[in-house]
Amino acid sequence: MKKSKKRLFIVDGYAVLYRSHYALIRNPLVTSYGFQTSALFGFSNQLLKIMKDENPDYLVCAFDSKEKTFRHEMYPQYKAQRPEMPQELKTQLPHLWEILEGMNIPVLKKPGVEADDIAAHLVKEKDRYDLEYIWLISSDRDWDLLIEKNVSRFSYVTRKEVTLENWSEHYDVTPEEFISLKCLTGDKGDNVPGIPG
């Protein structure tokens, strides 16, 4: 990255892919030879919309790795309830990597690291690259832990942006208290128990 005040968009890769898959689950897009393409179609459309509407200086897609993370070492039941990726979605993955390569969009993933960890690293390093602003493209509210000055999250589900400036419209606690709130409530989606009651 050149040091010239640029805007970085970080896309939560698997979240967008799953959302695209399930959005068309009742009427999936299928080729003449029976191959489902719903997730690829929705994912590509989302990226094209970002590029058209926002004209980002940098656009990357962050993905979870299939390997276990340090969170599994801390809590073996982490994400234990999550079902395996549907086969019709799994078969689309090789084509997803080809599409991203063809669009010249970097894929960021590392064994034992999740997409939000990658996003957190880039947020922490934004001054090093002289980035003016970072947009986190995700419907995962966990990513709100990363919001700070010049960093916001845009949900493609609600079509709303969460920033420091409009934080109180979304939460009854401060950004600093949000960390404690997450610790107390846990995370059902990740099978992390909260404090009872």
Side-chain angles (χ1 to χ4, degrees):
M1 292 183 187
K2 296 178 182 177
K3 293 197 171 189
S4 54
K5 290 288 183 189
K6 302 288 187 179
R7 298 173 308 138
L8 170 65
F9 285 63
I10 307 172
V11 175
D12 185 357
Y14 279 126
V16 175
L17 190 72
Y18 268 88
R19 173 75 180 167
S20 301
H21 171 70
Y22 286 109
L24 296 169
I25 196 76
R26 290 189 176 147
N27 296 300
L29 302 175
V30 183
T31 65
S32 59
Y33 50 90
F35 184 79
Q36 284 200 28
T37 60
S38 300
L40 298 173
F41 175 79
F43 189 95
S44 302
N45 272 353
Q46 184 68 48
L47 293 185
L48 291 170
K49 181 168 177 48
I50 292 169
M51 289 189 281
K52 179 183 176 188
D53 294 350
E54 304 296 339
N55 191 27
D57 299 295
Y58 302 113
L59 175 63
V60 299
C61 288
F63 289 88
D64 296 341
S65 71
K66 60 184 176 183
E67 292 82 8
K68 292 192 174 185
T69 72
F70 67 91
R71 293 174 181 87
H72 292 92
E73 294 173 15
M74 293 172 66
Y75 182 60
Q77 295 304 309
Y78 179 66
K79 292 188 177 180
Q81 88 296 0
R82 290 261 181 107
E84 194 174 332
M85 180 182 284
Q87 186 60 34
E88 64 273 16
L89 185 52
K90 198 181 288 187
T91 57
Q92 295 177 63
L93 287 180
H95 301 285
L96 175 68
W97 312 134
E98 290 176 4
I99 288 170
L100 288 167
E101 184 179 357
M103 294 174 79
N104 200 28
I105 297 174
V107 171
L108 305 181
K109 62 180 178 175
K110 183 178 181 181
V113 176
E114 295 186 359
D116 41 2
D117 299 321
I118 292 169
H121 173 76
L122 291 171
V123 166
K124 186 178 178 183
E125 295 291 319
K126 75 178 185 300
D127 291 338
R128 177 181 168 197
Y129 296 113
D130 203 22
L131 291 168
E132 179 184 6
Y133 208 97
I134 295 181
W135 269 274
L136 307 168
I137 312 298
S138 177
S139 61
D140 188 346
R141 292 175 62 166
D142 284 353
W143 286 45
D144 289 350
L145 292 163
L146 307 179
I147 292 175
E148 58 182 54
K149 184 181 178 184
N150 296 333
V151 177
S152 63
R153 178 182 67 87
F154 179 76
S155 170
Y156 43 85
V157 176
T158 63
R159 311 307 298 174
K160 292 181 179 177
E161 185 177 7
V162 183
T163 67
L164 276 186
E165 291 71 29
N166 71 10
W167 181 272
S168 61
E169 297 173 23
H170 302 274
Y171 298 105
D172 292 327
V173 296
T174 67
E176 293 75 22
E177 293 168 335
F178 187 62
I179 297 170
S180 298
L181 178 66
K182 293 293 288 182
C183 292
L184 289 168
T185 58
D187 191 330
K188 287 184 179 179
D190 289 342
N191 200 40
V192 176
I195 304 300

